[in-house]
């Protein structure tokens, strides 16, 4: 399989979308009271976790829908890049959001 410019462009668009999804999730969590000085008792931690997971899930569904809509309009090369970028971005953002390597 040959890597083409439309594939690379599709991957870049999908990866940028992941950055936006993570940024929106973090910003909304801070606005909802999850900043650095938040009082997170046992119930507060659970509420913050549920809010974060819900927000991130919605952002990923919107991103996936956007990738599917764009792939139908841009052609086969771009759709391959969009799918690859979405999968790689999902793996990287989950790795980041789950604490990375823990080192």
């Amino acid at each position: 399989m040959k890597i083409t410019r439309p594939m690379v462009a599709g991957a870049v668009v999908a990866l940028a979308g992941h950055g936006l999804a993570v940024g929106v999730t973090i910003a909304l969590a801070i606005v909802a009271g999850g900043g650095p000085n938040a009082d997170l008792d046992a119930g507060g931690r659970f509420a913050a976790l549920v809010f974060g997971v819900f927000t991130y899930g919605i952002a990923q569904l919107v991103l996936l829908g956007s990738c599917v809509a764009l792939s139908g309009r841009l052609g086969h090369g771009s759709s391959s890049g969009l799918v690859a970028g979405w999968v790689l971005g999902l793996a990287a953002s989950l790795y980041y959001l789950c604490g990375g390597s823990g080192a």
Side-chain angles (χ1 to χ4, degrees):
M1 177 181 201
K2 183 178 177 184
I3 297 176
T4 62
R5 285 186 188 191
M7 284 180 173
V8 172
V12 167
V13 167
L15 290 171
H18 276 289
L20 185 64
V22 169
V24 166
T25 301
I26 292 171
L28 287 177
I30 290 171
V31 168
N37 296 325
D39 181 23
L40 296 178
D41 57 358
R45 275 181 267 163
F46 180 72
L49 177 66
V50 168
F51 180 77
V53 169
F54 179 75
T55 304
Y56 185 72
I58 294 296
Q60 285 301 315
L61 289 175
V62 169
L63 179 60
L64 180 60
S66 300
C67 287
V68 168
L70 282 174
S71 69
R73 302 188 114 193
L74 298 178
H76 179 65
S78 295
S79 66
S80 298
L82 285 167
V83 169
W86 185 78
V87 170
L88 289 173
L90 181 64
S93 63
L94 285 176
Y95 181 77
Y96 170 75
L97 290 173
C98 292
S101 63

